[in-house]
Amino acid sequence: MVIHGGVGTIVKETMTPELEAAYTSKLTEALAAGHAILARGSSSLDAVEAAIRILEDSPLFNAGKGAVFTHEGTNELDASIMDGRTRAAGAVAGVKRVKNPISLARLVMEKSPHVMMAREGAEAFASEHGVELLPESYFFTERRWQQLQQALEAEKKRTSRLDATPRHAGARPEQAPQATARGVCPEGSGARRAEAVGRERRGAGGRVIAQLPRRADPRAGACPESPPMPRHLGTVGAVALDQAGNLAAGTSTGGMTNKRFGRIGDSPVIGAGTYADNATCAVSGTGHGEFFIRNVVAYDICARTAYLGQPLQQAADEVIRRKLAEQNAEGGVIAMDRSGAVAISFNTPGMYRGTVGRDGKPVVKIYQE
Ligand code: ASP
C-alpha cells in the first residue's frame, strides 16, 4: 500500500521536529491500519478507505478536519474512490458537513447508480444512508484560517502590483496572469476583495457560524508563527493491492486555499485525481487540480503503461516531472500496478508519503531524496 499527504514546499528548514514527528506518526498509523486490513485478506478498497479516514480525521492534512478555506471562509470537501477490479467509482464534491468524504464517495459508488454527487444533493444522500452531518464549524482550524489570511494578503499585494502594470491591448490569454500555475489572477480591486474578509465566519445563506480572530496585520508580516505554505498542501490519498490481486485508489481534499466557493478540483474527478484499473494501475494525485484535470493525469499514467508499455515509474515521471513541470504546475502522484510495483513521483521539494509492503514495515518519507 502507498499513501500520500500532499505535495509542496516541504523543506527541513521550515519544519519543526515536533511537526515532522506528528506527520510521520499519523502517516505510520494510516499505513498500519491499511496493512492490517490487507493482511487479514480484506479488500484494497477497505484498506484505502480506512487509511484515508485516519488522515481525514487529523487536522494535519488538507482533508476532512484539516481542510483549507475557500475565499469566502467556508470548507468545501472533495473525494473519490475507485475499484480496480470492476472500475466502479464514487465521488463527492463540495460537501460541507461530512466528516469522512471518502466514505461518502464509497457509498455513492456502492449504493447509487451514479459516480459523482455534489453539495446539498450529496449531503441529502449521506443523510438517507445514516451518515451523520456535522455543523460546518467542525472543520474550522486556526492554522488553515491563518493560511487563508496569508493568501488574501498575498493576493491583495499582487492585485496592487498588477494594477500598476500597463495592460497591452491584444495580449494573448497565455500571457495573461490568469494562465500561470502559481498564482490566480484576482478579479476586481484589492480593496474590494479585502472587504470580503470579515471577522465572522458565515455559513450557507450568510448565517454567522463562528467569530473569528482579526486578520493579521500585514505590516507586521502576516502570521509569523506559521511559515508560508502552498495553497493546497495536505491532500491525502492511498492506493493498495490486496491478496486477491485487486487494486483500489482513493483521494480526499479540502481543495486549494482561497479557492472560489463552488470550485471543484481534480480529487473527485475520476481519471484526473484518482484512477484504478486492475489491467493497468491505480493512482492518487495531489497538486494544482486545474492542471490535473486538463492533463487527465491519473488516467494518462495508467494509459502510458498500457499503450506505450512504459514502466510505471517512467509513466509517472513523464506526466509529473515533465508534462506538469513544463506547465509550471506543482504536483505529485502515488501509483501501483497489479504486480505490486510502486511509483512515487513529484515535482516539488517535498511530498508526505509512505509505503508498506507484505512485511508490514511502514516507510514514511517527507523530503526529496
Ligand atoms: N488537488 C487538490 C485540488 O486541486 C489540491 C491538492 O492536491 O493539494 O483540489
Side-chain angles (χ1 to χ4, degrees), residues 175-308:
Q175 295 172 315
Q178 288 94 319
T180 69
R182 292 183 200 278
V184 177
C185 182
E187 313 149 352
S189 77
R192 207 193 73 219
R193 293 176 83 81
E195 277 164 25
V197 186
R199 263 173 295 145
E200 294 159 342
R201 181 159 176 259
R202 291 174 187 275
R207 278 175 300 111
V208 175
I209 55 175
Q211 290 294 331
L212 295 164
R214 224 174 230 294
R215 188 141 57 103
D217 182 350
R219 288 161 304 178
C223 316
E225 73 281 3
S226 44
M229 297 174 86
R231 295 185 305 136
H232 51 75
L233 187 60
T235 290
V236 305
V239 295
L241 174 66
D242 61 29
Q243 291 185 33
N246 294 315
L247 291 166
T251 312
S252 182
T253 189
M256 295 176 77
T257 300
N258 199 21
K259 67 182 180 181
R260 286 189 64 132
F261 79 94
R263 177 266 190 188
I264 293 168
D266 60 305
S267 306
V269 177
I270 295 302
T274 303
Y275 191 71
D277 179 0
N278 279 358
T280 54
C281 73
V283 174
S284 170
T286 173
H288 197 151
E290 281 67 13
F291 289 81
F292 274 67
I293 295 173
R294 291 179 192 143
N295 290 279
V296 202
V297 164
Y299 183 75
D300 189 15
I301 292 170
C302 293
R304 280 165 180 272
T305 65
Y307 301 162
L308 298 174

Side-chain angles (χ1 to χ4, degrees), residues 19-104:
L19 206 52
E20 187 178 303
Y23 276 110
T24 303
S25 118
K26 214 18 106 177
L27 289 166
T28 305
E29 184 189 332
L31 283 171
H35 180 264
I37 288 167
L38 296 170
R40 65 167 186 256
S42 295
S43 72
S44 49
L45 273 177
D46 287 346
V48 162
E49 182 185 355
I52 291 180
R53 283 179 67 101
I54 288 172
L55 302 175
E56 284 177 336
D57 290 344
S58 162
L60 290 172
F61 300 95
N62 173 19
K65 174 68 185 166
V68 299
F69 285 92
T70 63
H71 183 78
E72 290 71 21
T74 54
N75 306 100
E76 301 187 357
L77 315 177
D78 301 335
S80 67
I81 194 162
M82 187 159 182
D83 181 350
R85 183 174 68 87
T86 58
R87 273 178 285 161
V92 292
V95 294
K96 294 179 170 177
R97 295 188 296 153
V98 177
K99 182 165 170 274
N100 295 108
I102 194 69
S103 296
L104 184 56

